[in-house]
Amino acid sequence: MRDIVFTRSGNGWIPKVIREDGELKLTLAAGADVNHEPRTFTFPIGEAHLAVIREDLARHLLLWSAVLPLCDAAGTRGQLDENAAVALLDPVLLSPPPDVDALFRRIRWDRIRLVAHGADVDLLERGQVCGAMRAATEGSDDKRAQEYHANRRRAERGAVLGPLDAEILRYTGQYLHGATVPRRSPDAVDPALLPQVMRVIAPAEQACAGMRIGLDPRRGNRATDKRDWDRMAATVDAAVRHAYPELVDDAVRTVSFLMCSEAADRSKSTPVEDDEEAADDHGKTALSFTDDKGGEKKWERGGPRTASAEFWEFVADRSAGDNEVFTIEDEEMGEGIQLHFYADSIARITTVRHKAGSDPQYQVEYSLVDGFGGYRKLVSVFVRGGCAALEQHGPWISDVAEFERARRRDAR
């Protein structure tokens, strides 16, 4: 039989005292099992420990902080080291403050929990845990704990934020988590510093005005072109560093991340652009698109979409890690191109001899491709003018071994 002897109303996560089969125990939820559900741990305590837990919130929280690493060590299936947990009771709950401070300099403990419950951060960092907990609260402030954790991570890699740096990160929503997709949040910024933040944003906007980040169908329907992204990020970084050399790297990067994310969002909300061959009456009349997995799509002039737009939509729908070879074929003219996304290369294929009753013979020539922009250009050229129009976009190499050597040189 289990009865709750003592619990704090302000936070359901703070350890409770229960009586189970006549024995006092401390119980707490911590860690997670294999199903990501919280695990529950218990270990025995005495009446003297219960008395302190009832009357002294700070000691109660310190005990929680000291026990949590033992729960983490138990993992998803392991047992709590009950002897180690019991051994913490007297030193944490019954010892004088200097001894408690000394103990916390020797053991692992969860400082984030203490910060969330109001610990004085400066005293905590100096190892004065008892003094730090004089203003402890039952309720927790998770945002305060997250900010503390974020600052510790930065300090570990030597990044120290100034007031403006911090507000720039708050403006983009990346103060707590650097991986968060940035958004403009002026309400999160100290009003006194908001004008300075906007003065930092201004040269970034000016530097990337007119630049765009296109979509890259090789990576799916909504993926963006990495080269476009890197180019815009470098441009913004240079402009902000020139205008505000005192800003730390975190602040500069978050501004470029914001500009790039906004540009990428604009691309994702814009339909795939049809290429310039739409107005060219001398382009292809019918084409076949295929991939390495048996997928096929036909295109004919006169439909609502251009050949290039239809082809890249086909790529976006079909491209995958094991499907990176796509072909555009003009059966009537006996020519086509094959795109090898895995190798940054392209082959142009022309029929050199095809007699009735015999297998056709083809001439195959290879060329390297410079990123998705290069692929997009070559596809457009082929759709407008066929393999002959690609001649000026070489060099084209017919010897496979020679081409492989050229590709390895380019990859260095």
Side-chain angles (χ1 to χ4, degrees), residues 33 47 52 61 98 111 119 161 200 237 261 268 347-348 360 378 397 402:
D33 61 20
E47 292 289 349
V52 175
L61 295 173
R111 66 183 65 226
L161 302 182
V200 173
D237 275 11
S261 294
K268 291 174 182 178
R348 64 173 181 174
L378 293 173
I397 303 171
E402 180 184 348

Side-chain angles (χ1 to χ4, degrees), residues 34-182:
V34 292
N35 296 318
H36 306 290
E37 295 293 331
R39 297 193 67 193
T40 300
F41 299 94
T42 62
F43 59 95
I45 67 171
E47 292 289 349
H49 305 132
L50 171 60
V52 175
I53 288 171
R54 281 184 185 276
E55 300 299 326
D56 195 330
L57 171 64
R59 295 290 181 118
H60 191 180
L61 295 173
L62 286 170
L63 178 62
W64 185 21
S65 173
V67 171
L68 281 172
L70 298 178
C71 300
D72 292 338
T76 58
R77 293 188 177 92
Q79 297 298 312
L80 177 69
D81 186 341
E82 188 173 295
N83 291 332
V86 170
L88 290 169
L89 292 171
D90 286 357
V92 175
L93 296 177
L94 306 179
S95 297
D99 291 349
V100 176
D101 291 346
L103 172 70
F104 273 70
R105 287 193 286 270
R106 299 193 305 270
I107 66 171
R108 290 179 57 216
W109 49 286
D110 189 329
R111 66 183 65 226
I112 300 300
R113 285 300 94 218
L114 301 186
V115 172
H117 285 270
D120 184 303
V121 171
D122 291 335
L123 292 177
L124 210 60
E125 294 293 341
R126 294 203 293 268
Q128 300 175 29
V129 293
C130 289
M133 297 306 292
R134 290 194 186 104
T137 60
E138 284 195 11
S140 66
D141 185 340
D142 290 336
K143 183 178 179 181
R144 183 174 189 259
Q146 289 170 351
E147 289 190 357
Y148 173 76
H149 184 51
N151 286 330
R152 278 185 61 84
R153 290 201 313 270
R154 293 189 188 98
E156 288 170 357
R157 54 185 173 83
V160 180
L161 302 182
L164 182 57
D165 300 312
E167 296 307 320
I168 290 171
L169 287 165
R170 288 191 173 95
Y171 178 80
T172 63
Q174 289 199 299
Y175 186 87
L176 298 181
H177 303 290
T180 303
V181 176

Side-chain angles (χ1 to χ4, degrees), residues 292-408:
D292 250 9
K293 295 293 185 181
E296 184 174 7
K297 186 175 185 178
K298 300 289 186 180
W299 172 86
E300 293 184 359
R301 181 186 291 279
R305 305 286 302 283
T306 65
S308 288
E310 289 279 1
F311 173 70
W312 290 120
E313 184 176 89
F314 176 70
V315 170
D317 289 340
R318 303 280 300 175
S319 183
D322 61 348
N323 192 28
E324 297 185 287
V325 178
F326 288 79
T327 302
I328 307 177
E329 184 178 2
D330 182 340
E331 296 178 3
E332 182 180 350
M333 296 298 294
E335 64 180 8
I337 55 175
Q338 189 173 73
L339 286 61
H340 314 124
F341 295 146
Y342 66 91
D344 293 326
S345 65
I346 187 172
R348 64 173 181 174
I349 307 165
T350 54
T351 304
V352 295
R353 187 163 57 252
H354 190 185
K355 294 181 180 180
S358 63
D359 292 335
Q361 296 185 17
Y362 301 102
Q363 176 177 313
V364 182
E365 300 167 294
Y366 302 90
S367 185
L368 296 172
V369 181
D370 186 17
F372 176 67
Y375 278 118
R376 189 176 178 88
K377 181 178 181 180
L378 293 173
V379 167
S380 179
V381 169
F382 175 77
V383 168
R384 291 200 309 271
C387 282
L390 291 170
E391 183 63 34
Q392 61 182 311
H393 297 282
W396 297 92
I397 303 171
S398 57
D399 184 86
V400 174
E402 180 184 348
F403 175 70
E404 282 300 313
R405 287 192 293 271
R407 189 166 70 87
R408 286 195 293 269

